[in-house]
Amino acid sequence: MSRRLRLLLFVPAAGVVAGVVMWGMVGLPDFGSKPHAYAAYVLQHAVGQLRVTNIPSTVVFGYRGWDTLGEELILFTSVMGTALLLRSSRDVPEERPHDEVTSAAVRQIGGCLVPVTLLLGLWTVAYGYLTPGGGFQGGVVCAAAALLIWIAGSYRDHRALTPTALVDPAEGTGAAGYIGVGLAAMAAGQAFLAGFLPLGSTGSLASGGTVAVLNWVTGLEVAAAVVLIFHEFLEEYIETVPHPQPSGEGQ
């Protein structure tokens, strides 16, 4: 397909999308306007109904859990599509090139930051329904720890510590786990994704019931999805890194 034809197809489609986005933005309430009745209800009743002190988490995993399921499936589908597309068009290298970091400072500081970043990601997920954070945010931070392995070490280290055989099932488990919680709610006689687990005490890690479980499976799915994205795009990049020449070659 020629560049001109691609532009002819892109410009009208982009114009329609831009028009819809602008139309939606015009309809937004003014900054500082009175909260909608729905927001007022959530602020008043969320903690008492779900025992969750982070109000956004009550909305994301409680009151509108269906929407969050759609977001998870969109992420899952887009990552799987990217992986299948790039893997099918890529020649598998017999041996990945050496791309070790030559800076001692980057190796040492980056190596120290890997466990710190991973711990921060897990903390963000674990306390995501008590304090600001959650499965989406914490999953991205955990994936950043995996990327630091490449930045501070090498691509070989990154792939060795995040093998595809482990990350691929992890993403599927996270997405399936979210659906599984909904089906378990139905088996317990509740609506799909309705809360059916004990709510526990407000302010503790044992609070939230179903919200806490959905938060954790989301963190797993997001972390694995972002790591898979890193895998595919870094694999495209690493193919451009020249292989080291044998000693004496080219002299």
Side-chain angles (χ1 to χ4, degrees):
M1 184 182 294
S2 67
R3 177 183 177 86
R4 183 174 181 181
L5 180 57
R6 290 198 301 269
L7 286 174
L8 289 175
L9 294 174
F10 170 77
V11 171
V16 172
V17 173
V20 172
V21 171
M22 292 301 298
W23 172 72
M25 292 179 65
V26 171
L28 291 175
D30 296 332
F31 181 77
S33 60
K34 184 178 180 181
H36 191 274
Y38 180 83
Y41 176 87
V42 171
L43 290 173
Q44 182 178 358
H45 299 285
V47 177
Q49 290 180 349
L50 299 177
R51 311 282 176 85
V52 174
T53 54
N54 182 16
I55 301 301
S57 291
T58 66
V59 176
V60 173
F61 300 117
Y63 294 111
R64 68 170 191 87
W66 265 101
D67 295 351
T68 305
L69 173 60
E71 294 170 6
E72 279 216 20
L73 293 181
I74 289 173
L75 177 61
F76 175 82
T77 305
S78 59
V79 171
M80 288 296 99
T82 300
L84 291 173
L85 179 64
L86 293 180
R87 290 175 188 176
S88 64
S89 61
R90 181 191 304 134
D91 294 329
V92 179
E94 295 181 0
E95 183 179 359
R96 292 191 173 94
H98 296 272
D99 65 330
E100 285 83 357
V101 177
T102 57
S103 171
V106 173
R107 287 200 305 269
Q108 294 172 5
I109 296 175
C112 292
L113 286 177
V114 170
V116 174
T117 305
L118 179 60
L119 181 61
L120 175 61
L122 293 174
W123 184 92
T124 304
V125 177
Y127 287 87
Y129 47 95
L130 303 179
T131 60
F136 284 99
Q137 300 90 332
V140 174
V141 177
C142 290
L147 184 63
L148 275 173
I149 298 172
W150 171 63
I151 295 174
S154 69
Y155 184 62
R156 289 184 176 186
D157 297 333
H158 170 74
R159 290 303 296 259
L161 293 174
T162 58
T164 302
L166 175 64
V167 181
D168 273 350
E171 190 198 14
T173 300
Y178 201 105
I179 299 174
V181 172
L183 296 177
M186 296 179 66
Q190 304 290 331
F192 185 75
L193 290 176
F196 66 97
L197 296 175
L199 295 177
S201 301
T202 303
S204 69
L205 284 177
S207 65
T210 304
V211 170
V213 179
L214 294 177
N215 175 70
W216 271 107
V217 295
T218 298
L220 175 63
E221 200 275 337
V222 171
V226 177
V227 169
L228 283 175
I229 287 291
F230 290 156
H231 279 187
E232 300 310 320
F233 285 100
L234 286 177
E235 190 74 33
E236 293 294 311
Y237 161 75
I238 211 68
E239 290 186 353
T240 67
V241 177
H243 290 264
Q245 294 182 349
S247 178
E249 185 175 331
Q251 298 180 355

